[in-house]
Amino acid sequence: MNNQLENKIINLVSGNIEGKERDELIKQIKSDPLLLKKYQEIKNAWALSTYSNRMSQESIDSSYSHFVKNISSRKRIQLYTYVKYAAIMILFFSIGIISNKYIFNNEGKSSNFSFLMNEISVPNGDKAELTLVDGTKVWLNSGTEFSFPSEFKGKLRKVIISGEAFFEVTKNKKKPFVVNTDFGDIKVLGTSFNVRAYENMNFQANLVEGSIQFSKDSIGKLLKPGEQLMINDNKEIIISKFTNPSSYTWKDGVITFQNEMLENVIKKLERHYDITIQLDSKLSSIRFTGKIYNESIEEVMILINKIEPINYKYTKDLNDLVISRKSN
């Protein structure tokens, strides 16, 4: 991509391009996946830069150095000044999308939670890490949407998530931290925990340190360190012990499967590799245990084949993988 086109995108994001030229550029971006990804990166970085005004130049330079060091081993990209300031607030393994929106109550009126929110959308195949204004650290898994305020007002520190995230919450007894999901709310004071709230998987929360309270309607459940809360297919809330960190190793780049049905394994692989997988229903209930580090999807299929003989066809151009049972 040439510099002239990138400069046009920067002007689009910053509101310095209008009329016919703007419409033509938007049309071009929508029709070109690579151009769309670049637009998303620039849009994300530009939005984040607006929150850097309160930070010192020393902090900016330190964050920028960390940012450059992190991406250097991943891929070579051209850095602009705005990326330097974006690195302060969020460090992407691959940059997702961020936008601003206002949150209102059901009647459309303003409320205690009707102020400017920032929304991060992490695409499949990517992961992200950020530090909130209170010092809370958040890791976001692939296919996750996360909304958070530019500053925490009122009696609660409230965020919204659809997808999966690991939290290290800064303690503040006077202002509890609340994670809102479509399945229920998680309330904490200061702790480390993982929450999985994807639409196509059972809800799950794993507590590492501290304590959390899960609430849904009039139901409340308190978790202790080493406990896992899950909502099964019958909408029942089940609390059990977990003895390994398989539920949150993804934040360190390791995808772990602990006696999981292949049906659920496939859902994780789709997000991790950003591909579409068609699985023979006869294979759905096969259990799989293992870890994925930097293996390609073809190498993962070889591992699965060792457990259960399968046929697979991967069409790289279409990002499509078909898995079927190997006939005798």
Side-chain angles (χ1 to χ4, degrees):
M1 183 184 302
N2 58 58
N3 291 339
Q4 184 178 3
L5 186 53
E6 288 189 339
N7 286 333
K8 283 186 177 181
I9 295 176
I10 293 172
N11 288 332
L12 174 65
V13 171
S14 61
N16 292 318
I17 183 172
E18 298 178 351
K20 186 178 180 181
E21 185 179 6
R22 177 181 179 276
D23 295 339
E24 289 178 353
L25 181 57
I26 291 175
K27 184 178 180 181
Q28 185 179 358
I29 290 172
K30 288 182 177 180
S31 63
D32 186 337
L34 293 178
L35 201 58
L36 177 60
K37 186 173 183 179
K38 175 57 66 176
Y39 165 74
Q40 291 169 345
E41 290 177 356
I42 293 174
K43 178 182 177 183
N44 176 64
W46 179 269
L48 286 167
S49 69
T50 63
Y51 300 101
S52 66
N53 296 332
R54 289 173 292 178
M55 303 193 71
S56 67
Q57 188 63 43
E58 182 180 354
S59 298
I60 292 171
D61 292 337
S62 175
S63 297
Y64 177 64
S65 297
H66 187 195
F67 178 76
V68 172
K69 180 180 179 180
N70 184 274
I71 66 169
S72 60
S73 60
R74 293 278 179 165
K75 59 183 179 179
R76 188 178 182 85
I77 65 171
Q78 185 174 4
L79 295 176
Y80 292 91
T81 301
Y82 61 80
V83 176
K84 181 174 181 178
Y85 288 90
I88 301 163
M89 296 297 291
I90 181 165
L91 180 59
F92 275 96
F93 304 140
S94 294
I95 298 177
I97 312 161
I98 185 166
S99 60
N100 303 121
K101 66 178 183 179
Y102 283 91
I103 305 297
F104 296 92
N105 59 21
N106 293 333
E107 289 75 30
K109 301 176 182 179
S110 62
S111 65
N112 290 336
F113 198 44
S114 59
F115 46 83
L116 186 64
M117 296 289 286
N118 313 298
E119 182 178 271
I120 295 176
S121 178
V122 183
N124 286 336
D126 293 346
K127 293 179 179 65
E129 175 187 345
L130 68 152
T131 301
L132 303 182
V133 68
D134 67 335
T136 293
K137 293 183 179 180
V138 186
W139 288 260
L140 303 175
N141 204 353
S142 304
T144 296
E145 292 185 356
F146 181 63
S147 298
F148 63 99
S150 54
E151 59 179 308
F152 291 111
K153 296 182 178 180
K155 298 180 179 180
L156 299 175
R157 294 173 287 164
K158 191 169 184 179
V159 299
I160 305 172
I161 186 172
S162 174
E164 185 167 22
F166 185 90
F167 293 86
E168 288 184 358
V169 179
T170 299
K171 291 184 179 180
N172 186 335
K173 293 183 178 180
K174 296 181 179 180
K175 186 175 289 191
F177 192 92
V178 176
V179 180
N180 174 257
T181 77
D182 288 340
F183 300 88
D185 292 344
I186 295 174
K187 184 177 181 180
V188 306
L189 292 176
T191 186
S192 300
F193 64 99
N194 190 86
V195 56
R196 188 181 73 191
Y198 289 112
E199 291 181 357
N200 64 345
M201 299 186 75
N202 291 333
F203 176 87
Q204 183 176 299
N206 292 66
L207 179 61
V208 180
E209 295 178 357
S211 65
I212 60 175
Q213 179 178 322
F214 174 82
S215 59
K216 174 68 174 179
D217 300 327
S218 59
I219 300 175
K221 299 289 184 179
L222 188 66
L223 268 70
K224 299 176 182 178
E227 290 186 334
Q228 169 185 283
L229 180 148
M230 177 179 287
I231 302 178
N232 64 18
D233 294 335
N234 297 321
K235 309 301 181 183
E236 298 170 324
I237 298 176
I238 300 172
I239 297 178
S240 60
K241 295 283 186 179
F242 72 95
T243 57
N244 63 74
S246 61
S247 65
Y248 54 87
T249 57
W250 59 265
K251 75 183 183 68
D252 299 314
V254 181
I255 309 301
T256 306
F257 308 104
Q258 186 70 31
N259 194 32
E260 290 193 51
M261 290 194 302
L262 190 56
E263 179 182 15
N264 287 333
V265 171
I266 291 306
K267 292 175 182 178
K268 292 183 178 180
L269 294 179
E270 283 186 315
R271 288 192 297 270
H272 183 67
Y273 290 101
D274 189 21
I275 61 175
T276 300
I277 301 178
Q278 301 176 50
L279 177 67
D280 187 334
S281 59
K282 296 178 181 178
L283 298 171
S284 298
S285 59
I286 294 172
R287 297 284 175 170
F288 183 71
T289 297
K291 293 183 178 181
I292 297 174
Y293 295 88
N294 297 313
E295 289 84 356
S296 66
I297 188 63
E298 291 94 337
E299 291 171 322
V300 175
M301 291 301 102
I302 293 173
L303 292 174
I304 293 177
N305 188 57
K306 291 180 179 180
I307 298 174
E308 179 73 20
I310 61 170
N311 289 318
Y312 67 92
K313 181 180 179 182
Y314 178 44
T315 307
K316 192 171 184 178
D317 293 342
L318 299 176
N319 261 0
D320 183 75
L321 176 66
V322 179
I323 304 174
S324 58
R325 182 187 293 272
K326 184 175 289 186
S327 57
N328 296 328

